[in-house]
Amino acid sequence: MQYDVLVIGGGVGGGSVALNLASRGFKVAIVEERDWGGTTINRGSTPKRALLASAETHFRMTQLVKDVAPLSWSEMASHSAKVVLAANQRYGNNLVNAGITTIEGHATFVNSNTILVHGQRYQAKTIVLATGARPRKLEFPGSQYMEHSASFLKASNLPDKITIVGAGIIAFALASIATEAGTKVTIVQHNRMALRIFDQGLVQTLISRLENAGVVFKFDNTIQNITELSSGSYQVTTNQDQFETKAIYCVAGRVPNTEDLNLSVAGVKFGPLGIKVDERLKTSNPQIFALGDCCDAPVPKLSNYAIYQGKYLGNNLQKPVQFPIKYPTPALTVFSIPKLGQVGISTQKAADKPELEVKTMDIKNWQTYARNGDDLAKLKIIFNKGNQQIVGAEVLSQDADQLVDYLSLLIQQHVSADDLQQQLFAYPSQASDLYGIWQSR
């Protein structure tokens, strides 16, 4: 069967490019071997945010009133499952309604323009690889007892004592959700670094908040073995400690899905970081492109980047001249309690730029944060000393995700203090609080 474009991978990145091309009249087919919507919708951001919604609501209530009823994990899980199912169905329907051919199964290359799925051959002049990534496996005695974040996010019941291996974005989100649900959490990290790309002062404040909530951090601990006990619990032995837990979730990174595709027959080169692409997301085969977690583009492996790359390819494929991808102001958030957000230039990078100034602001008394009892709210804003434009920020607060999105617009549009004063926002709101960024200087 012949198509204009074949997309391998039915996640949010693959769907982004497929829907964009279909809207432009291209004949498109998309292949998915597991769940439509990929990791993001089924085993990642969507269930994580659904569970976090319950946990955040509970946390906010405890900040404002006494004697808040405990959370029910079964009710949280039921709500999350409904959200995921609806998102999955909506995603699949969007593909079908756009006239895209959906193919279920594992794809392998036959040659540079032909793939094989369940014995059926499909051809296209252009192929886009969006196969995503999978959890990294750690190997040591008893490592088979470890589960991954997907198991946590889909659990109908959560043990009262769990261990999380890793100290990155996913670890802090899972720890926050579980702690608010009444579970005792231990985080094991092989070195002393947590959330390494974020402002370490804000990270330490977040760690202290979680420690006060009962989370135990074991830094500089490398797991040596895990033993299953007769009680059904597990004994974890590290290079420094030994303790019992009832479940272990490994979130120590992900590896790109590049094996079993037979990429070599298509002339596609790949390495440990994924499929090799240039600044146009083109692989070593000029008719094959790659995006998202499966490629080695030098950007964070996050859903928003995969979606943006999909839009870029959808707008540029088949054009006689393809311009290099240009990423907008980066914005990302750790969905912990409270959240940790970053936009534009980080405080770490700003420290090496004499033309920039970092201003730390205690914003807990700003209206948005005061009325929500957000007593840890803090903002670090990076200004250009010359024109006073904002070029970056890092924030710790319950609403950090919203604030970094507002700031992203200001940075992207090069808004100055005078420009902002010409805007009229609803009051009181988080947007109207933005006036305080300059008034506090």
Side-chain angles (χ1 to χ4, degrees):
M1 302 180 71
Q2 184 74 40
Y3 295 90
D4 296 324
V5 180
L6 277 169
V7 180
I8 303 177
V12 294
S16 174
V17 66
L19 289 167
N20 193 302
L21 288 168
S23 71
R24 298 171 183 275
F26 291 95
K27 185 180 180 182
V28 181
I30 186 168
V31 185
E32 172 56 41
E33 68 175 357
R34 190 170 178 183
D35 303 304
W36 293 109
T39 296
T40 297
I41 287 179
N42 298 281
R43 303 174 296 282
S45 299
T46 299
K48 177 183 70 180
R49 288 304 307 274
L51 290 171
L52 186 68
S54 299
E56 279 186 311
T57 300
H58 185 265
F59 176 75
R60 288 174 187 261
M61 289 294 294
T62 61
Q63 296 296 98
L64 300 174
V65 300
K66 296 180 180 180
D67 302 322
V68 179
L71 283 170
S72 164
W73 182 266
S74 62
E75 292 179 356
M76 292 171 65
S78 177
H79 168 68
S80 176
K82 291 177 183 177
V83 171
V84 170
L85 178 61
N88 173 277
Q89 292 176 339
R90 185 167 57 251
Y91 182 92
N93 290 337
N94 287 342
L95 294 174
V96 173
N97 293 338
I100 298 168
T101 300
T102 56
I103 304 166
E104 297 185 349
H106 180 74
T108 56
F109 278 93
V110 176
N111 54 48
S112 61
N113 69 341
T114 307
I115 63 170
L116 189 69
V117 183
H118 291 313
Q120 175 69 52
R121 294 188 176 217
Y122 301 89
Q123 292 184 325
K125 179 181 178 182
T126 302
I127 297 177
V128 178
L129 294 165
T131 53
R134 63 187 184 279
R136 183 184 305 279
K137 289 185 177 180
L138 302 182
E139 297 292 342
F140 51 78
S143 61
Q144 71 271 19
Y145 298 121
M146 291 196 300
E147 302 176 82
H148 298 291
S149 58
S151 299
F152 176 100
L153 296 171
K154 289 195 169 189
S156 56
N157 294 291
L158 190 68
D160 59 8
K161 185 186 296 184
I162 69 170
T163 296
I164 297 172
V165 181
I169 288 176
I170 299 174
F172 276 77
L174 301 191
S176 297
I177 293 167
T179 300
E180 203 60 33
T183 289
K184 298 289 291 183
V185 178
T186 297
I187 290 180
V188 178
Q189 173 68 357
H190 71 279
N191 57 24
R192 295 209 61 80
M193 185 61 67
L195 300 172
R196 60 183 175 82
I197 67 171
F198 290 87
D199 182 272
Q200 288 302 294
L202 297 181
V203 170
Q204 288 306 310
T205 301
L206 175 58
I207 288 174
S208 295
R209 208 296 293 177
L210 290 174
E211 287 179 329
N212 291 337
V215 177
V216 175
F217 286 86
K218 293 184 181 292
F219 289 109
D220 287 328
N221 273 252
T222 300
I223 297 180
Q224 296 179 333
N225 64 72
I226 299 172
T227 304
E228 186 176 21
L229 304 176
S230 58
S231 62
S233 296
Y234 301 94
Q235 180 174 278
V236 179
T237 301
T238 75
N239 59 321
Q240 294 195 38
D241 200 3
Q242 190 173 79
F243 59 94
E244 289 188 21
T245 189
K246 293 186 177 179
I248 306 140
Y249 300 99
C250 181
V251 292
R254 299 173 66 79
V255 294
N257 290 323
T258 55
E259 300 87 355
D260 303 325
L261 294 172
N262 206 18
L263 293 174
S264 59
V265 302
V268 175
K269 296 180 180 179
F270 62 96
L273 298 180
I275 297 166
K276 297 184 180 299
V277 295
D278 64 12
E279 69 277 10
R280 293 170 175 79
L281 302 181
K282 188 180 297 183
T283 71
S284 50
N285 182 323
Q287 299 304 317
I288 299 177
F289 298 77
L291 60 80
D293 290 3
C294 73
C295 79
D296 69 351
V299 294
K301 305 304 182 187
L302 299 172
S303 299
N304 54 345
Y305 280 89
I307 293 170
Y308 186 83
Q309 290 168 340
K311 292 177 181 178
Y312 162 81
L313 285 178
N315 289 329
N316 284 275
L317 285 179
Q318 311 297 332
K319 285 185 177 180
V321 178
Q322 295 176 354
F323 294 97
I325 188 168
K326 183 179 180 181
Y327 295 97
T329 302
L332 59 155
T333 301
V334 180
F335 288 99
S336 50
I337 300 177
K339 302 185 186 81
L340 181 61
Q342 182 186 93
V343 60
I345 295 175
S346 68
T347 57
Q348 293 180 27
K349 291 183 178 179
D352 298 325
K353 297 180 181 294
E355 71 275 15
L356 301 181
E357 173 189 0
V358 179
K359 176 74 173 181
T360 300
M361 300 180 185
D362 186 340
I363 59 175
K364 66 176 181 291
N365 292 321
W366 289 13
Q367 284 209 40
T368 296
Y369 310 100
R371 64 174 171 262
N372 291 327
D374 197 350
D375 58 356
L376 293 180
K378 186 173 290 186
L379 171 66
K380 294 190 177 184
I381 201 88
I382 298 103
F383 290 93
N384 183 301
K385 292 178 182 178
N387 57 25
Q388 292 299 294
Q389 288 182 347
I390 299 173
V391 295
E394 303 208 35
V395 58
L396 179 69
S397 88
Q398 296 174 27
D399 298 305
D401 53 335
Q402 297 178 43
L403 182 55
V404 296
D405 283 344
Y406 281 130
L407 293 173
S408 177
L409 292 173
L410 298 184
I411 296 170
Q412 189 73 20
Q413 299 302 319
H414 305 289
V415 174
S416 66
D418 291 339
D419 295 330
L420 188 65
Q421 299 305 323
Q422 301 305 312
Q423 301 300 315
L424 189 63
F425 298 114
Y427 181 88
S429 67
Q430 192 172 58
S432 66
D433 280 343
L434 293 173
Y435 297 131
I437 291 176
W438 280 275
Q439 293 170 358
S440 300
R441 286 176 52 72

